[in-house]
Amino acid sequence: MTAPQAAGSPPTRRAGRRRDQAIALGWLIAVWNLLWGEISWGNLLGGALVGVAVLLFFPLPPVTFGGRLRPRALLVLLATFVAELVDASVHVAAIAVRPGYRPRGAIIGVRLRVGTDLNLALTAELISLVPGTLILETDRDAGVLYVHVLDVRRPEDLSDSRDRVLAVEKRVVRAVGSDAEVRLLATDPVDRRST
């Protein structure tokens, strides 16, 4: 085997793409059978035909996972998420029952340090699940999340919200990112703008 083939040559990528498509086809067949409520040869064949048509006419961009799963960091990510979820729920509930209080919201743009689709999606999902924050838009090319935050009283609240988003990104990358992505966490997001 030559050196270029060992480093992820096009045949290797094609084989990985075919494997991903076969897995997607299997899931589509399973969903088709679940929708019909029974597994039969007709439903299996119908699911295969519908699945092939979906994959052929609506191809999805290839999503690759180049990271590695780190169980300890994943546990930290989940535990911190649950703690933030409880804390934010109590905070939003306190705002809701406070008579006459009108919280002020703000929209901030946060440039992430790791610009992969997986990092962008996982960070956005975790931010949106916490009460008081909501992802309004993502700029995939620039790696920016636009976040609505609730109860902004002073300018420091904006920088605190930005720091919280970057902390979530850091925990996500440490849990499922590659070694190169973990090294990117040491860079300032502003530095990425010039590269």
Side-chain angles (χ1 to χ4, degrees):
M1 180 180 286
T2 63
Q5 288 178 336
S9 64
T12 305
R13 276 186 256 141
R14 269 188 249 127
R17 177 80 173 145
R18 287 190 184 119
R19 182 198 67 230
D20 293 345
Q21 287 178 331
I23 292 170
L25 180 61
W27 279 108
L28 288 170
I29 292 170
V31 168
W32 183 262
N33 281 274
L34 288 172
L35 289 173
W36 282 101
E38 66 177 299
I39 297 175
S40 67
W41 289 110
N43 285 342
L44 289 172
L45 181 62
L49 291 173
V50 169
V52 167
V54 166
L55 292 174
L56 187 65
F57 295 115
F58 305 105
L60 296 173
V63 177
T64 56
F65 177 66
R68 55 182 259 231
L69 190 62
R70 296 175 184 87
R72 182 178 294 158
L74 185 61
L75 187 62
V76 168
L77 172 69
L78 294 174
T80 308
F81 171 71
V82 169
E84 288 179 349
L85 189 66
V86 170
D87 183 50
S89 298
V90 169
H91 182 72
V92 170
I95 290 172
V97 298
R98 191 179 306 169
Y101 182 70
R102 299 186 79 174
R104 294 180 56 182
I107 298 172
I108 58 172
V110 181
R111 182 178 302 275
L112 300 182
R113 293 165 288 200
V114 179
T116 62
D117 289 342
L118 181 63
N119 178 53
L120 194 68
L122 289 177
T123 303
E125 287 298 324
L126 290 175
I127 294 299
S128 285
L129 289 173
V130 173
T133 56
L134 179 68
I135 300 295
L136 297 176
E137 187 177 347
T138 61
D139 184 344
R140 180 180 176 209
D141 295 329
V144 176
L145 295 177
Y146 293 95
V147 186
H148 180 272
V149 291
L150 182 67
D151 197 25
V152 177
R153 299 179 199 162
R154 57 193 203 285
E156 293 81 23
D157 291 342
L158 296 174
S159 61
D160 290 346
S161 297
R162 178 184 177 275
D163 291 342
R164 277 196 306 274
V165 171
L166 292 174
V168 170
E169 178 201 22
K170 185 176 188 178
R171 289 190 293 270
V172 166
V173 171
R174 285 190 172 165
V176 298
S178 68
D179 292 334
E181 292 169 351
V182 171
R183 284 191 296 276
L184 280 174
L185 293 175
T187 64
D188 185 16
V190 177
D191 294 342
R192 272 192 62 229
R193 226 176 283 170
S194 59
T195 57

